[in-house]
Every structure is written in C-alpha cells, then in structure tokens.
Amino acid sequence: MTIGLFGGSFNPPHEGHRRASLLALRRLGLDQVWWLVTPGNPLKDNAALPPLPARMAAARRAAAHPDIEVSDAEAAIGVRFTYDAIAYLTARCRGVSFVWIMGADNLAGFHSWQRWREIAHLVPIAVVDRPGATFSPSSRAAHALARYRIPERRARSLARAAPPAWCFLHGPRSALSSTILRQGRKSEQDPAT
C-alpha cells in the first residue's frame, strides 16, 4: 500500500488541499492520502487556532473523497513535530510506503522544520506547485536535496523510491490558502480592518 501524508493545521481546510491531494493520488499512483491535522504548528502562533475537533470536521467536509482520510494521529500519539509523527507511522505500518506531501511554499521554509534532513531520510517527498510559491532551487532545502530529485516524468516511482528522494509536481493550481481565507473571515467580522 502507498499512502501520502499531508500534514497541516487545516485552518481552514479548502479546495486547494483537496486538489493537491487528488494530484498526488493520481500522479504518484497512491492508494490513499491521509490529512494529518495537527493540534498546533510549532512554527506558528496557535493562540487563535480553532479546536482540533472543529478542524477535523471541516477537513472531512473539504476532503469529500473516498481515498482521502482525515486523521488526528499527531494528537493521538502525543507528538508535536512532523518528524515524530512520520517516525511513528513508518515504524508501526510495516509494508506501507509513505510519501510526505507539501506545498511549494513549505519547501521554501522546510529547512526551519525540526529534523528536516531526517524527515527527508525517512520518506520520499512530493512537492506540489502553488501559485506565488512555485519551485525555488535556491531554497536551502531544495539546494541540500538537489541530487535526490526525481524527474517529474518518473513521479509514479516516488512512493517506492528509497529516501531521500523527492519530486516536484505541476498540475491544476489553486490560489486558495488558509491564511487568505482566515484574513477574509477576519475582515468580514471586523470591517474596520
């Protein structure tokens, strides 16, 4: 079985998350994508983060696909960092080939994630193109992992590739972002903003 892991706050989840997941399912030949809804992002201020159950429910509505599973695995196993969640899943799900899925915006800051190099050695990584944050070979992580990049035409081999391995995926892009949606909500609630 091949499973894509797509982590985030999903605050709020939106069609862009769904499109990236469907692209990964199709282009990588995955059996499923699991949305790992984090209890809180260690790199962000979580003070205004809606409760996990509310984000889980919203994510299930947004996913609306039989091959996208919404999970609170990080909260269930009591971890805060992506590395710990992936290490837990890979150790307990023998025979499953996992791929980490991230947007191109996350690749730009991937080097600031705790144990990012070790994440790249645990699972292959699929980077999905996003408007305003397309592939940047100059990002620290992209530069460090350059020799492990698989050409996009071989994307279907990524899930079975020995890490480190990564691939950049182009496809239908969505300009939606959780940040923009939150800002829009705030503007609607406070017209003076």
Side-chain angles (χ1 to χ4, degrees):
M1 183 170 231
T2 56
I3 296 174
L5 301 174
F6 192 11
S9 300
F10 294 92
N11 179 30
H14 53 74
E15 182 60 25
H17 294 127
R18 188 174 188 276
R19 281 188 191 177
S21 299
L22 296 177
L23 176 70
L25 279 163
R26 186 178 71 252
R27 298 285 307 284
L28 303 176
L30 302 175
D31 295 307
Q32 292 182 334
V33 170
W34 293 354
W35 287 7
L36 302 180
V37 183
T38 183
N41 185 330
L43 298 175
K44 295 181 180 177
D45 177 10
N46 295 299
L49 190 63
L52 181 60
R55 289 181 290 121
M56 292 282 297
R60 284 188 185 98
R61 288 189 301 273
H65 194 280
D67 295 327
I68 301 174
E69 296 289 327
V70 177
S71 170
D72 64 353
E74 288 183 9
I77 61 177
V79 298
R80 289 187 57 219
F81 298 101
T82 299
Y83 171 83
D84 298 320
I86 294 172
Y88 179 93
L89 291 170
T90 56
R92 280 156 185 79
C93 300
R94 298 287 181 192
V96 175
S97 296
F98 288 107
V99 174
W100 183 256
I101 301 167
M102 70 168 70
D105 55 329
N106 281 312
L107 179 64
F110 188 43
H111 66 276
S112 64
W113 294 21
Q114 185 185 62
R115 301 175 80 173
W116 69 274
R117 289 179 189 270
E118 292 170 74
I119 292 170
H121 281 83
L122 274 179
V123 291
I125 299 170
V127 180
V128 180
D129 195 14
R130 291 200 52 195
T134 194
F135 176 61
S136 172
S138 64
S139 78
R140 185 171 163 190
H143 182 71
L145 300 171
R147 68 180 177 194
Y148 303 112
R149 186 175 178 195
I150 292 175
E152 189 171 0
R153 69 181 178 283
R154 291 186 34 227
R156 267 186 122 48
S157 70
L158 183 67
R160 301 283 184 198
W166 68 285
C167 184
F168 192 85
L169 299 176
H170 294 87
R173 302 186 312 168
S174 171
L176 290 174
S177 83
S178 295
T179 302
I180 290 170
L181 292 172
R182 282 193 310 275
Q183 289 170 347
R185 257 195 235 147
K186 187 176 178 182
S187 294
E188 288 172 9
Q189 293 169 354
D190 182 12
T193 325

